[in-house]
C-alpha cells in the first residue's frame, strides 16, 4: 500500500496551493480519503475528507470555505486545493485512506504515525510540507 502526497511548498498568506495524493496497492474506491495536517508540537488533525464515491465532502471548521477536496477514482488520486491560506495552515500534510466516517476524520486528532492507522482503520501516506509565510 502506498499513498504519496505531493505539491507542498512555500506560499504567501492569501495565496493558493494544490496538494495531490497518489495511491496504489489497494482498492481505492473502497476507502474514503482524508487529508490531515500536523504542525510542530501538535497532534495530527483531520482537515478534510471525501467519501469513497466522491459525492460527499467534509471539512474542519478552520478550513471550511477555503479548502476544496476532490478525488479521481479511475486515476487513484485525490487532491486538496488550499485557497486564502493563513500562517496557521503551516504544517506537514498527509493523505490517508480511511474506513471510518468522514465526520470522525474532521472532528478528531491523533498521535498516530507510521503506515497503518488503527484509529481510522486505514493507511497513512507520506507527508508534504506546506509553509505559509510572507
Amino acid at each position: 500500500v502506498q499513498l504519496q502526497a505531493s505539491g507542498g511548498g512555500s506560499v504567501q498568506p492569501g495565496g493558493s496551493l494544490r496538494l495531490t495524493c497518489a495511491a496504489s496497492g489497494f482498492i481505492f474506491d473502497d476507502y474514503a480519503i482524508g487529508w490531515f495536517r500536523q504542525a510542530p508540537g501538535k497532534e495530527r488533525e483531520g482537515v478534510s475528507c471525501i467519501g469513497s464515491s466522491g459525492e460527499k465532502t467534509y471539512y474542519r471548521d478552520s478550513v471550511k470555505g477555503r479548502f476544496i477536496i476532490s478525488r479521481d477514482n479511475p486515476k487513484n488520486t485525490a487532491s486538496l486545493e488550499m485557497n486564502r491560506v493563513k500562517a496557521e495552515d503551516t504544517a506537514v500534510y498527509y493523505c490517508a485512506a480511511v474506513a471510518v466516517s468522514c465526520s470522525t476524520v474532521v472532528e478528531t486528532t491523533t498521535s498516530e504515525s507510521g503506515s497503518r492507522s488503527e484509529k481510522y482503520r486505514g493507511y497513512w501516506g507520506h507527508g508534504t510540507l506546506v509553509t505559509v509565510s510572507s
Side-chain angles (χ1 to χ4, degrees):
V1 172
Q2 285 194 339
L3 294 118
Q4 182 64 58
S6 62
S10 296
V11 59
Q12 292 187 340
S16 297
L17 208 59
R18 185 180 180 89
L19 307 183
T20 300
C21 176
S24 62
F26 64 100
I27 302 175
F28 190 69
D29 305 29
D30 281 354
Y31 290 83
I33 298 297
W35 281 96
F36 294 75
R37 66 186 180 188
Q38 187 165 19
K42 295 189 176 182
E43 288 203 337
R44 196 171 294 186
E45 65 175 11
V47 296
S48 187
C49 184
I50 186 166
S52 58
S53 66
E55 291 184 356
K56 292 188 176 181
T57 58
Y58 299 75
Y59 300 92
R60 185 173 287 266
D61 285 347
S62 57
V63 307
K64 202 172 290 183
R66 300 189 297 119
F67 290 9
I68 301 172
I69 191 172
S70 60
R71 66 187 292 163
D72 186 334
N73 282 355
K75 294 184 178 180
N76 283 11
T77 61
S79 294
L80 183 70
E81 182 178 333
M82 304 170 60
N83 300 307
R84 303 196 304 280
V85 297
K86 305 175 181 179
E88 50 263 43
D89 293 324
T90 295
V92 177
Y93 283 72
Y94 301 84
C95 60
V98 301
V100 297
S101 68
C102 272
S103 57
T104 295
V105 169
V106 299
E107 292 172 2
T108 59
T109 65
T110 181
S111 58
E112 286 183 334
S113 61
S115 59
R116 295 294 303 270
S117 173
E118 183 175 334
K119 181 168 185 174
Y120 302 106
R121 293 168 51 200
Y123 307 97
W124 291 110
H126 297 290
T128 186
L129 176 63
V130 173
T131 303
V132 182
S133 174
S134 55

